[in-house]
Amino acid sequence: MPEGIAPSRAALLTRMYEVFATDERDAFVPHCLSPDVDWPNVLDGVRLHGHEEVRAYWARQFASGHPLVRLEGLRPDDDGEAVVATVRPGRRTGTGDEWAADTVEHVYRFDAEGLVSRMDVRQP
């Protein structure tokens, strides 16, 4: 487990990335995201709120292609509260998986129950 991160948070985020590109993703939403989660819609530059808006956003992403996100590391954010996931975006094509040259950071905040309450995307 990464130093400085609660094992439950590390396990939750690891599992989220494992199921994102699978058919399990929609069923896993209530087990990882708080009911009023605040989530970035990177495609449109707006914020989404709640499970249904996040599910609809993911459905839209998968309708236009097969996105992939590979978790490469977890660390505490500078504030000591959030967890930063270093990820490599990619997509599945007919000839295999293609990965971006650069990574991005997903910054997660959690509610009192340990579920993700907010996610932000930033450049490392």
Side-chain angles (χ1 to χ4, degrees):
M1 286 291 140
E3 189 173 325
I5 299 173
S8 60
R9 290 181 177 182
L12 177 75
L13 294 174
T14 299
R15 185 72 180 131
M16 279 177 54
Y17 287 104
E18 289 171 354
V19 303
F20 175 72
T22 73
D23 292 338
E24 293 179 59
R25 112 187 117 264
D26 286 343
F28 192 63
V29 164
H31 303 285
C32 63
L33 305 181
S34 71
D36 59 347
V37 66
D38 182 342
W39 196 265
N41 173 331
V42 178
L43 299 174
D44 300 322
V46 298
R47 303 294 303 182
L48 306 172
H49 297 92
H51 291 173
E52 293 313 310
E53 288 187 11
V54 172
R55 282 185 177 119
Y57 174 60
W58 288 348
R60 183 174 149 212
Q61 285 181 301
F62 278 87
S64 66
H66 192 109
L68 300 170
V69 185
R70 182 172 63 213
L71 178 62
E72 296 195 348
L74 295 172
R75 65 176 171 76
D77 200 14
D78 293 338
D79 67 6
E81 293 295 320
V83 175
V84 178
T86 301
V87 301
R88 186 167 308 276
R91 64 187 181 102
R92 184 158 293 147
T93 68
T95 58
D97 296 347
E98 296 177 358
W99 297 99
D102 297 322
T103 60
V104 296
E105 293 180 341
H106 291 171
V107 182
Y108 293 96
R109 300 199 175 278
F110 299 85
D111 66 13
E113 286 75 41
L115 299 175
V116 172
S117 61
R118 181 181 174 95
M119 194 270 264
D120 292 286
V121 178
R122 68 184 187 200
Q123 297 302 313

